[in-house]
Amino acid sequence: MPEHNPGQMGGTMRLGKRRTIFKTSNSIMRKLYGDAEYVEERHRHRFEVNPELKSHFEDKGFRFVGQDVEGERMEIIELDDHPYFVGVQYHPEFTSRPIKPSPPYLGLLLAAAGKLQGYLQKGCRLSPRDVYSDRSGSSTPDSEISEIPTCY
């Protein structure tokens, strides 16, 4: 990180909830987050992508689809022409729950099961009756749990 001082180890990490702005509407991660313009996720890291190397990644098919509010830090990356190759700078495991995985983990599970494209085509809904969302605040979607096996 630009503000990192190797001689001073205390207080050199990016910590806490940070906003990440989606830079494109054509992003798997944005769709998984319900087509939100931004996400706020918890960070705890000391390292990041060197902005000078951004073009080298993009030349190889990577796309930085999410950046910090200032547009200086690369927060979300995707690889074109791959079923599900994403990387995030934040920690989505902090908001995951057994019945309600965070969007990056839900995408991984759906891709591994061969269901991601169908889920995205349905508008990121498990079924037409799905009213459960990441913004619901509920950690126990009882009515949705019974529908999951029949949704795919």
Side-chain angles (χ1 to χ4, degrees):
M1 296 188 322
E3 64 273 15
H4 177 70
N5 178 351
Q8 175 193 3
M9 292 308 288
T12 60
M13 297 181 76
R14 288 191 56 146
L15 298 171
K17 186 191 278 188
R18 307 276 181 161
R19 184 171 287 189
T20 298
I21 310 292
F22 285 105
K23 297 297 182 180
T24 178
S25 59
N26 186 21
S27 160
I28 290 175
M29 289 294 289
R30 182 172 181 162
K31 291 174 186 174
L32 287 170
Y33 275 101
D35 203 32
E37 292 182 25
Y38 65 88
V39 296
E40 291 183 331
E41 293 279 0
R42 188 170 163 191
H43 287 65
R44 187 179 192 282
H45 61 86
R46 181 171 281 123
F47 303 102
E48 61 185 28
V49 174
N50 183 341
E52 295 174 12
L53 299 177
K54 180 181 173 193
S55 63
H56 294 285
F57 284 97
E58 292 173 336
D59 290 345
K60 301 296 182 190
F62 287 97
R63 292 184 305 132
F64 291 97
V65 299
Q67 296 178 354
D68 71 338
V69 186
E70 292 84 22
E72 298 173 359
R73 291 184 167 88
M74 308 303 117
E75 299 284 343
I76 303 173
I77 191 169
E78 295 180 3
L79 179 61
D80 288 335
D81 301 323
H82 191 281
Y84 191 72
F85 188 107
V86 301
V88 297
Q89 190 69 4
Y90 49 84
H91 288 267
E93 70 273 14
F94 290 145
T95 57
S96 283
R97 301 295 176 260
I99 301 299
K100 185 180 172 186
S102 66
Y105 287 110
L106 178 61
L108 176 63
L109 294 170
L110 290 169
K115 308 289 184 183
L116 179 60
Q117 290 308 313
Y119 180 75
L120 295 174
Q121 289 170 356
K122 290 180 185 178
C124 295
R125 297 169 63 113
L126 293 174
S127 76
R129 295 182 302 271
D130 182 18
V131 295
Y132 178 64
S133 74
D134 187 47
R135 299 182 190 345
S136 71
S138 171
S139 61
T140 57
D142 296 329
S143 62
E144 288 82 3
I145 292 172
S146 63
E147 295 179 17
I148 289 175
T150 59
C151 296
Y152 303 122

